[in-house]
Amino acid sequence: MAITLSVFAISLIFGTFFGYLRYKKVNRLVDGILGIYIDVMRNTPLLVQIFFIFYGLPQFHIMIPSVPAGMIALSLCITAYVAEIIRGGIESVPFGQWEAGRTLNLSKFCIFWHIIFPQTMRNVFPSLINQFAQTIFSTSLLCAIDVKDLMQQTTILNSRTFRTLELYVAALIVYYCLTIASTTVLRFINRRYFPSLSRRGE
């Protein structure tokens, strides 16, 4: 959960920034680079990305320990998904909201932060909840680079005891409980701070 929370916080920050850049298309070169980055991250296996960071970069004399390497790989991948979620959320806000901000003589930053971003979050929060759950699941892949997470510990115990069924059922239950607990809290936040979206879905 520490890795999940850290990775998702990083991804939300950079994903919001990249999503805004993708929406505004302020520069053709930047938009092209972001488009390639997002396409690569979303259309290649996460495990391959993890291996590239941990095993591939040392070929260029860049040595990264397993936990930071795993967090970097996860953050790069999740950021790409969050960026597209945020971009879609910004596009769902009527353009008249931007014009209303301009008539109040607000700066572009103030318009986005105080008018557009709150409405964007209201629109995309359910999608971000699902992405958070996917982030929890994705951490299980880090056992492939020797990160001592739940899956790695389960595998170690299995190699010692050979009680495969009991151990992996226990891991499944733990993942299930973590996911249900996390999404329940996030859905409460959604109902508490974005009530109009909750009513719209009823």
Side-chain angles (χ1 to χ4, degrees), residues 24-95:
K24 293 297 289 184
K25 301 184 186 299
V26 292
N27 184 285
R28 183 174 297 180
L29 176 61
V30 172
D31 188 60
I33 293 173
L34 286 177
I36 293 172
Y37 156 68
I38 290 172
D39 283 343
V40 170
M41 291 295 105
R42 297 180 69 193
N43 294 288
T44 56
L46 177 56
L47 186 60
V48 175
Q49 299 170 21
I50 294 170
F51 282 170
F52 175 80
I53 298 293
F54 188 67
Y55 295 114
L57 291 185
Q59 302 294 321
F60 302 97
H61 307 289
I62 302 175
M63 311 295 293
I64 305 177
S66 58
V67 173
M71 291 182 64
I72 290 172
L74 287 177
S75 297
L76 287 172
C77 181
I78 303 302
T79 294
Y81 284 92
V82 172
E84 285 299 280
I85 291 173
I86 296 296
R87 181 184 64 81
I90 296 174
E91 290 179 348
S92 69
V93 178
F95 187 74

Side-chain angles (χ1 to χ4, degrees), residues 10-199:
I10 293 170
S11 300
L12 188 59
I13 293 171
F14 284 97
T16 300
F17 180 62
F18 292 161
Y20 175 78
L21 291 180
R22 289 273 286 167
Y23 169 77
K24 293 297 289 184
K25 301 184 186 299
V26 292
N27 184 285
R28 183 174 297 180
L29 176 61
V30 172
D31 188 60
I33 293 173
L34 286 177
I36 293 172
Y37 156 68
I38 290 172
D39 283 343
V40 170
M41 291 295 105
R42 297 180 69 193
N43 294 288
T44 56
L46 177 56
L47 186 60
V48 175
Q49 299 170 21
I50 294 170
F51 282 170
F52 175 80
I53 298 293
F54 188 67
Y55 295 114
L57 291 185
Q59 302 294 321
F60 302 97
H61 307 289
I62 302 175
M63 311 295 293
I64 305 177
S66 58
V67 173
M71 291 182 64
I72 290 172
L74 287 177
S75 297
L76 287 172
C77 181
I78 303 302
T79 294
Y81 284 92
V82 172
E84 285 299 280
I85 291 173
I86 296 296
R87 181 184 64 81
I90 296 174
E91 290 179 348
S92 69
V93 178
F95 187 74
Q97 298 292 311
W98 291 93
E99 295 177 335
R102 293 192 190 100
T103 61
L104 296 174
N105 201 29
L106 298 176
S107 65
K108 290 182 179 180
F109 176 80
C110 287
I111 294 173
F112 177 74
W113 185 250
H114 295 291
I115 300 175
I116 306 301
F117 186 68
Q119 296 180 71
T120 298
M121 291 301 294
R122 178 178 293 110
N123 294 337
V124 306
F125 205 87
S127 297
L128 292 177
I129 293 175
N130 293 334
Q131 192 59 58
F132 185 84
Q134 290 299 320
T135 305
I136 296 176
F137 303 150
S138 298
T139 60
S140 64
L141 296 175
L142 300 185
C143 68
I145 57 174
D146 202 34
V147 174
K148 298 298 188 294
D149 70 329
L150 176 60
M151 278 301 300
Q152 177 76 324
Q153 298 292 357
T154 302
T155 303
I156 291 172
L157 287 173
N158 181 53
S159 65
R160 293 174 181 173
T161 64
F162 299 101
R163 302 184 66 175
T164 305
L165 179 61
E166 297 96 320
L167 288 169
Y168 284 101
V169 167
L172 185 149
I173 292 172
V174 171
Y175 275 115
Y176 178 81
C177 292
L178 286 175
T179 304
I180 291 299
S182 301
T183 54
T184 298
V185 171
L186 291 173
R187 289 191 180 104
F188 171 78
I189 294 173
N190 185 35
R191 291 192 300 270
R192 175 65 177 81
Y193 293 99
F194 306 115
S196 61
L197 179 61
S198 299
R199 288 196 297 267

